[in-house]
């Protein structure tokens, strides 16, 4: 039921992405060149493109614990944060200078047969800015950021779900899309979410 309308949503995402890129002082012009001709803002095409709030099913494999399963992921929110959020929580901002933190809220439901153990399926999230540049994961394991705390995945069995938030910093000011990377090729996306 939730997958329907993904195609329609995906087709409308490209023009709005281009429009926001254009507002960022000629950002759209450089986006096409940087992305190698990807339509609308250089975000790689995904096998499943849906809107924020809709779910997509992806494959997940954890090489360490030799777990392979299917996950139903719903990106429930994409919020632009600030470096002040980190300084207020007394968390180091090394590596965040000149970058924009983005808080990606999600629900992950295990729809496969294998239980999750010490896995981190949230580490496969990526965020692209309007110029198509990929963000970097921000690790706050020692001191979690109150506004955006990761989920616990240990013991998430078939049919169970967990909610959390991951932090990704982008070079630009505006997130264009959230993606979930491919198992074999981190440059490819299994799924993407746009507003």
């Amino acid at each position: 039921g939730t997958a329907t309308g993904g195609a329609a949503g995906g087709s409308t995402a490209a023009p709005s992405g281009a429009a926001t890129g254009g507002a960022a002082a000629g950002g759209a012009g450089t986006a096409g060149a940087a992305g190698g001709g990807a339509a609308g803002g250089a975000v790689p095409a995904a096998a499943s493109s849906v809107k924020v709030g809709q779910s997509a099913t992806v494959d997940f494999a954890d090489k360490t614990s030799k777990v392979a399963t299917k996950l139903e992921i719903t990106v429930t929110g994409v919020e632009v944060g600030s470096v002040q959020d980190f300084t207020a929580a007394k968390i180091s901002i090394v590596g965040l200078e000149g970058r924009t933190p983005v808080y990606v809220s999600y629900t992950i439901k295990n729809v496969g047969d294998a239980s999750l153990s010490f896995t981190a399926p949230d580490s496969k999230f990526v965020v692209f800015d309007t110029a198509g540049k990929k963000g970097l994961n921000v690790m706050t394991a020692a001191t979690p950021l109150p506004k955006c705390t990761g989920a616990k995945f240990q013991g998430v069995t078939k049919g169970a779900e967990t909610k959390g938030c991951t932090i990704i910093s982008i070079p630009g000011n505006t997130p264009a899309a959230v993606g979930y990377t491919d198992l074999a090729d981190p440059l490819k996306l299994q799924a993407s979410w746009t507003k």
Side-chain angles (χ1 to χ4, degrees):
T2 54
T4 58
S11 63
T12 58
S16 66
T20 53
T30 54
V43 174
S48 176
S49 297
V50 296
K51 293 285 188 192
V52 170
Q54 294 179 319
S55 64
T57 301
V58 299
D59 293 312
F60 176 72
D62 185 329
K63 293 178 178 78
T64 312
S65 56
K66 295 185 174 52
V67 168
T69 190
K70 284 199 176 293
L71 302 174
E72 185 182 278
I73 299 178
T74 307
V75 171
T76 55
V78 180
E79 181 188 343
V80 175
S82 72
V83 173
Q84 286 78 17
D85 295 339
F86 290 80
T87 53
K90 298 186 174 31
I91 298 172
S92 169
I93 58 166
V94 173
L96 279 177
E97 299 89 347
R99 298 181 67 85
T100 304
V102 177
Y103 309 141
V104 178
S105 302
Y106 56 81
T107 300
I108 295 180
K109 182 176 183 180
N110 186 356
V111 293
D113 291 324
S115 293
L116 300 179
S117 56
F118 294 101
T119 58
D122 56 338
S123 67
K124 303 277 187 203
F125 281 116
V126 290
V127 173
F128 296 89
D129 67 12
T130 50
K133 292 189 174 19
K134 191 166 112 177
L136 303 170
N137 283 316
V138 177
M139 300 299 166
T140 60
T143 314
L145 186 68
K147 284 188 170 193
C148 186
T149 307
K152 303 253 186 292
F153 296 103
Q154 188 175 358
V156 176
T157 55
K158 182 175 184 172
E161 66 179 41
T162 184
K163 295 175 193 253
C165 181
T166 191
I167 307 168
I168 299 170
S169 71
I170 57 173
N173 293 327
T174 310
V178 175
Y180 197 82
T181 57
D182 187 70
L183 294 177
D185 185 352
L187 299 177
K188 291 187 177 156
L189 300 180
Q190 293 189 69
S192 67
W193 292 264
T194 53
K195 288 194 171 181

